[in-house]
Amino acid sequence: MRLAQCFIAVDDHDKALAFYRDVLGLEVRNDVGFEGMRWVTVGSPEQDVEIVLEPPAANPDASPGDRQAMAELLAKGMLRGVNFTTADCDALFERVRAAGADVLQEPVDQPYGVRDCAFRDPAGNMLRFMERPAR
């Protein structure tokens, strides 16, 4: 068994796509619309796992109240994000910061053995980038 996809809610697919594709360097694998909603799938050229950028409350049967609640949670940055690994945390940090991303944490050596940093994507989701020590 292998992980295939994970999902991140976004409120503006074009802004999310510019960030995940142009800033992070992920490739676009799919871009589909259905019932007035859009799903964009991105992934690293180095692996099969995909991130699906989906609308908040991506269910055509979601009530207006549920849609509003999800939009409010997304706006507060309360929905879960994704953790990435990188070979050079500091270089990645500088590249993403230079692109104007919202910095949550500058690179720091953690007591549990990784060097990491964190940003918010354009929708407010937290993304953490970890560099594992050389073995």
Side-chain angles (χ1 to χ4, degrees):
M1 182 175 356
R2 295 176 56 184
L3 177 65
Q5 296 174 322
C6 59
F7 294 78
I8 296 178
V10 299
D11 55 358
D12 184 321
H13 281 82
D14 292 328
K15 285 182 184 176
L17 187 55
F19 178 78
Y20 284 92
R21 180 193 58 212
D22 302 338
V23 176
L24 297 185
L26 301 180
E27 62 188 14
V28 177
R29 298 190 180 157
N30 208 353
D31 190 339
V32 297
F34 178 71
E35 294 195 17
M37 292 182 273
R38 182 179 179 192
W39 287 263
V40 177
T41 305
V42 296
S44 169
E46 300 175 19
Q47 68 183 147
D48 294 336
V49 176
E50 298 175 325
I51 299 169
V52 181
L53 307 173
E54 67 175 355
N59 179 336
D61 299 322
S63 71
D66 288 344
R67 289 184 194 283
Q68 182 62 34
M70 289 297 292
E72 289 172 6
L73 289 171
L74 180 61
K76 292 179 186 179
M78 299 296 293
L79 302 180
R80 302 301 296 165
V82 174
N83 293 352
F84 294 89
T85 59
T86 179
D88 188 340
C89 180
D90 294 278
L92 183 136
F93 176 82
E94 292 303 328
R95 185 178 85 233
V96 176
R97 179 172 63 176
D102 182 18
V103 176
L104 293 176
Q105 176 198 303
E106 294 193 9
V108 64
D109 293 323
Q110 299 290 358
Y112 44 88
V114 300
R115 181 167 182 79
D116 70 357
C117 62
F119 293 91
R120 290 210 186 276
D121 74 2
N125 297 297
M126 183 178 68
L127 306 178
R128 186 166 292 280
F129 300 89
M130 299 177 286
E131 177 182 345
R132 295 190 172 121
R135 295 184 187 220

